Amino acid sequence: MEAAIITTYRCNAKCHMCNIWKHPTSPSDEIRPEMLEKLPRLKFCNITGGEPFLRHDISDIISIMRRKSQRVVVSTNGYFTEKILDIAAKYKDVGFRISIEGLPSANDELRGLKDGFDKGLRTLLGLRGLGIRDIGFGITVSDRNAKDMIELYRLSEAMGVEFATAAVHNSYYFHKYDNQILKVDEAVSCFEELIRRLLRSGRPKNWLRAYFNYGLINYIRGGARLLPCEAGTENFFVDPFGEIRPCNGMDEGAGSSGMGNLNEMGFGGIWDSDRATGARERVRSCGKNCWMIGTAAPVMKKYKMKPVLWVLKNKWKRREKALK
């Protein structure tokens, strides 16, 4: 099972595609680290926000989740370089992903952070200097930054770090309902070029990333999900108030109902409750067709033959084309 821990809705960025920063949580209302001890053993955990490094006790949260999960990755905008590097030096087996929304001009505009690109890059270099192996950065693609995607991928290759992608989505979590990609052909063209580069890579992990990006193309074009959504079964989210949720992408009415709260009961009681059953039923009837890594990655692993066959088919096509 996989999980995302949304540590806070506080954020120092003012992103155009996300309005969390307009709806911050109060530190006194945010889940205490010790409540996370109730969680089961996990294969993977993403610690995120808002901006998780705004929490004064983020080190305690990371320490607990390292014991609860085989792999932990913290998502951050990378602005608080010194704090991030201090914690990374303490937990060298933890991964870090820095959100970089384009080259400097686009990034700072979209993130609403002066010198945000420079801060993020400085943090990445610092993490690499510490010898942290699981590091990378990612872009949320919109009309404003799609053309920067390949340059960022080339930067990731030059730095020897991972490169992640997403597309703008709408949900109660983002407090956004007007995100959309209008320049569909332009965005698709950029994703197709990224897929070609990923398939040329010698790393099988990149080949599966190509499939994920193929799913983003499908999402942008309005297609049905490539794989079933099993949010609330294969993965779950913990919100800043301790509520267990299937995902962070459902519509407001369904998304706000949750499955149960860690402040009130143990995880087993939540997971097997009638509320959890109802949440899973809403997932099955959800028509949003989201394609976000938190819910796509678990089913890519569960139904692995479909991504694998797609990779084999497309690599074979490339080989045949090269031989002609």
Side-chain angles (χ1 to χ4, degrees), residues 24-195:
T25 41
S26 169
S28 62
D29 293 333
E30 292 168 353
I31 187 171
R32 302 189 309 278
E34 57 266 28
M35 289 295 102
L36 299 175
E37 296 280 10
K38 296 182 179 183
L39 295 177
R41 287 289 302 171
L42 301 167
K43 292 181 179 178
F44 173 76
C45 172
N46 177 223
I47 296 173
T48 184
E51 173 48 52
F53 285 95
L54 285 173
R55 287 200 56 151
H56 74 276
D57 53 3
I58 187 62
S59 182
D60 296 331
I61 292 172
I62 293 172
S63 177
I64 290 169
M65 295 316 302
R66 281 176 68 244
R67 290 188 278 104
K68 306 290 287 187
S69 183
Q70 294 176 23
R71 180 176 172 233
V72 174
V73 171
V74 185
S75 297
T76 170
N77 58 39
Y79 198 82
F80 301 105
T81 302
E82 290 185 8
K83 185 174 183 178
I84 295 168
L85 297 184
D86 285 346
I87 289 176
K90 186 177 179 181
Y91 304 120
K92 290 195 172 184
D93 58 341
V94 169
F96 294 85
R97 293 295 180 274
I98 312 298
S99 296
I100 294 181
E101 303 305 336
L103 298 177
S105 175
N107 177 81
D108 293 3
E109 175 189 333
L110 288 169
R111 287 251 150 207
L113 274 177
K114 186 177 184 300
D115 300 325
F117 182 91
D118 293 350
K119 292 269 191 176
L121 185 59
R122 188 180 299 275
T123 299
L124 277 168
L125 291 170
L127 290 168
R128 194 174 66 168
L130 286 172
I132 308 300
R133 301 184 65 179
D134 190 356
I135 58 174
F137 60 90
I139 178 176
T140 299
V141 174
S142 64
D143 286 335
R144 174 66 179 85
N145 63 0
K147 288 186 175 181
D148 288 355
M149 192 181 347
I150 299 306
E151 283 78 5
L152 288 180
Y153 174 68
R154 292 172 62 192
L155 177 62
S156 73
E157 283 191 309
M159 294 181 66
V161 301
E162 306 289 343
F163 182 67
T165 50
V168 290
H169 280 71
N170 296 300
S171 80
Y172 79 95
Y173 169 72
F174 301 112
H175 296 276
K176 287 285 286 186
Y177 299 95
D178 59 353
N179 279 327
Q180 59 180 323
I181 292 178
L182 299 175
K183 301 176 183 177
V184 173
D185 290 343
E186 180 178 292
V188 166
S189 176
C190 294
F191 274 114
E192 287 175 340
E193 175 60 22
L194 178 61
I195 287 171

